[in-house]
Amino acid sequence: MNTNKMWGGRFEGGPAKVMEEFTPSIGFDKRLARQDIQGSRVHARMLATQGIISREDLGAILKGLDEVEAEIAEGRFVFKRALEDIHLNIESRLVELAGPAAGRLHTARSRNDQVATDFRLWVRDACTLAEEGLRALQAALVGQAAANADTVMPGYTHMQAAQPISFGHHCLAYVEMFERDRGRFADAKKRLNECPLGAAALAGTSFPIDREVTARALGFTRPMRNSLDAVSARDFALEYLAAAAIAATNLSKLAGELVQWCSPAFGFVRLSDGFTTGSSIMPQKRNPDAAELVRGKSGRVLGDFVALAVVVKGLVLAYGTDLQEDKERVFDAADALEASLAVMAGMVADLQVNAAKMRAAAVAGYPTATDLADWLVRVAKKPFREAHHSAGAIVKRAELLKLDLDKLPLEEMQKIEPAVTTEVYAVLTLEASLASRMSLGGTAPARVREQIAFWKEKLK
Ligand code: ARG
């Protein structure tokens, strides 16, 4: 006979061979060890305060938990697959170390509320880590923005040079995106911060426990109100994954731009050696592997969200082992996100801007054609549609003569639009165009500097 000693009382046989591999979660949920021990300490203290276990038993349990913690920290702990998961592994070792007192720890508790508690604690920390990673990336972007408030690049729509913008302005657009991502993690963290402990298997317990005390001791705002909800809810994990998936999408966009910008066809930026790799066959290559991997990882993070959403949809209340599938999805997404954020922050901090290349690309696209049309409206009082038409015809002429707009002779412009005067040249340079975009949120370097000051203060 080989039944499980933690629950084998009504069993005669052990698990089927395939089950020994199939059901255990210890391979991955050992990552909950710290939270599990933390939860057990708080639970045991509460049991003693409530007179449910004796002071002596509490002492033995706490001492045993310290030892278990040390064993795990020092890599001496032997994780056993036969003990299924982290909860039973720790409890079983505790029995070995603390004797019969340890058997009292699981009073008024079930693995169902235990795992829900551990996992909430873990995801809460993961939210904090994501917030910190995002903040570091934002700081790196603000640093580039500060160095490049006046650096002109082509702003694109439809991937066609549209209007000149400042590279700093472009960086700050990502700072805004990552700020919203940070907000999503902060919100998720607030909402998940309720304590399932004490819901026991699903219905609560007949022991006179104090859930307010355990909730507070674990840093939760309050105990969860409904025991069924407490053990079955995984929307907190979904919310984390959704926030992670959106953040990964934003990272992917930035990564995609970096890949493009560092391609020799653009040459806008040079990534540092630290974040590029060579080719095994083409000696000249500097591949943006880091950026490409960040872009690629967004696929798995979104996949993690979808996978867990499909697991939990259609489940009946309360606990089902389907829920054991929650952890790997969250761990996988958290690892991918944390690494992506760190890599991206390093890449952005290191990158070198090639202002001449950016400028040349900006000039090539006649990006001040809108400024010409606006001038015709403002100074020559033309209706915008008419001005747009004339400016288009002037661009066509400049293109034919292979001249930049601000180098096209006045007579050429006047042949198309007699209202044009020499004053127009003042708005046709890239710098003038940039400086004129002073509307709130615009790309004028003065505006960009205001934003940089705002972010420097906010990210302090
Ligand atoms: N390993 C389980 C999980 O990850 C812990 C809860 C098990 N509860 C149970 N009644 N089998 O969800």
Side-chain angles (χ1 to χ4, degrees):
M1 198 173 95
N2 164 34
T3 64
N4 187 305
K5 66 176 159 174
M6 307 305 281
W7 42 253
R10 53 114 63 232
F11 283 71
E12 271 164 24
K17 198 91 201 110
V18 283
M19 282 287 279
E20 284 173 12
E21 303 246 352
F22 191 59
T23 51
S25 52
I26 188 62
F28 48 88
D29 68 14
K30 55 170 78 141
R31 291 179 70 169
L32 297 177
R34 193 167 57 76
Q35 290 77 5
D36 199 69
I37 292 170
Q38 193 187 359
S40 287
R41 283 190 180 119
V42 165
H43 181 68
R45 283 202 192 95
M46 180 277 293
L47 290 178
T49 308
Q50 296 298 103
I52 301 168
I53 64 171
S54 69
R55 284 278 146 198
E56 297 72 63
D57 286 343
L58 173 66
I61 289 169
L62 292 179
K63 190 159 165 286
L65 285 171
D66 287 349
E67 179 55 23
V68 170
E69 188 177 47
E71 286 185 0
I72 293 175
E74 290 155 25
R76 287 185 284 125
F77 191 94
V78 186
F79 293 99
K80 297 188 184 131
R81 220 169 40 187
L83 291 167
E84 286 191 5
D85 57 25
I86 188 64
H87 324 294
L88 295 184
N89 266 274
I90 289 179
E91 198 186 323
S92 153
R93 180 68 183 136
L94 190 66
V95 172
E96 287 169 9
L97 292 165
R104 299 190 190 281
L105 171 61
H106 212 53
T107 315
R109 186 176 79 169
S110 152
R111 273 191 291 162
N112 297 350
D113 59 338
Q114 193 178 353
V115 73
T117 305
D118 294 358
F119 200 30
R120 273 180 197 258
L121 290 172
W122 199 95
V123 176
R124 190 172 75 187
D125 287 347
C127 287
T128 305
L129 270 183
E131 287 176 65
E132 285 166 2
L134 284 161
R135 181 186 284 264
L137 173 54
Q138 286 178 301
L141 284 161
V142 171
Q144 284 295 350
N148 292 286
D150 300 280
T151 307
V152 188
M153 71 179 278
Y156 295 95
T157 59
H158 315 275
M159 201 54 221
Q160 305 284 314
Q163 292 174 359
I165 57 168
S166 114
F167 181 65
H169 195 53
H170 199 114
C171 291
L172 292 181
Y174 281 100
V175 175
E176 297 283 345
M177 283 178 241
F178 294 129
E179 180 67 12
R180 289 191 292 275
D181 287 326
R182 215 149 60 87
R184 270 182 282 272
F185 285 109
D187 287 348
K189 191 163 74 177
K190 244 183 262 159
R191 226 179 331 274
L192 73 70
N193 206 25
E194 301 183 315
C195 188
L197 195 61
L202 76 166
T205 173
S206 57
F207 290 97
I209 58 172
D210 188 340
R211 294 191 56 209
E212 298 285 347
V213 161
T214 45
R216 241 178 293 124
L218 291 169
F220 290 110
T221 0
R222 67 185 78 83
M224 290 182 79
R225 271 184 297 269
N226 183 300
S227 63
L228 293 175
D229 181 45
V231 293
S232 59
R234 291 296 182 275
D235 48 278
F236 71 90
L238 278 180
E239 199 171 344
Y240 171 81
L241 288 173
I246 297 171
T249 305
N250 285 334
L251 281 166
S252 178
K253 276 163 65 164
L254 177 54
E257 298 222 75
L258 288 175
V259 170
Q260 211 159 47
W261 291 341
C262 73
S263 154
F266 279 76
F268 288 3
V269 304
R270 182 181 169 88
L271 299 176
S272 69
D273 288 356
F275 293 96
T276 39
T277 53
S279 156
S280 56
I281 169 167
M282 298 160 284
Q284 84 285 10
K285 294 284 288 291
R286 288 175 56 81
N287 295 333
D289 282 44
E292 290 167 308
L293 263 176
V294 168
R295 189 171 58 182
K297 297 263 182 215
S298 63
R300 71 194 286 155
V301 179
L302 180 57
D304 288 325
F305 169 78
V306 174
L308 185 59
V310 176
V311 167
V312 298
K313 95 174 255 303
L315 287 186
V316 298
L317 296 182
Y319 182 85
T321 305
D322 314 51
L323 293 178
Q324 183 168 288
E325 289 287 310
D326 57 1
K327 284 168 281 297
E328 280 172 293
R329 303 284 56 85
V330 168
F331 294 158
D332 183 74
D335 291 345
L337 184 66
E338 199 190 331
S340 297
L341 286 169
V343 162
M344 189 54 99
M347 222 171 355
V348 168
D350 276 13
L351 70 78
Q352 280 182 335
V353 169
N354 188 331
K357 287 267 196 177
M358 284 187 179
R359 201 191 157 77
V363 169
Y366 293 100
T368 56
T370 311
D371 300 274
L372 173 55
D374 286 352
W375 184 90
L376 288 170
V377 169
R378 211 173 41 244
V379 182
K381 308 292 175 215
K382 298 280 173 190
F384 183 76
R385 277 295 147 227
E386 218 176 282
H388 181 284
H389 187 85
S390 308
I394 292 172
V395 166
K396 193 172 165 202
R397 185 73 192 144
E399 215 170 15
L400 195 79
L401 299 176
K402 298 193 170 34
L403 290 170
D404 293 344
L405 218 43
D406 61 339
K407 303 282 163 359
L408 189 66
L410 187 63
E411 320 81 76
E412 292 290 344
M413 295 201 213
Q414 284 174 335
K415 265 188 247 166
I416 294 159
E417 175 48 74
V420 177
T421 70
T422 47
E423 268 177 60
V424 81
Y425 290 100
V427 304
L428 295 184
T429 64
L430 296 178
E431 282 67 27
S433 169
L434 211 60
S436 73
R437 298 294 190 274
M438 272 298 284
S439 56
L440 185 87
T443 192
R447 283 297 195 200
V448 173
R449 276 191 201 94
E450 282 170 17
Q451 291 297 303
I452 290 163
F454 167 83
W455 283 114
K456 279 192 168 158
E457 183 60 33
K458 188 163 169 88
L459 297 173
K460 238 199 238 153

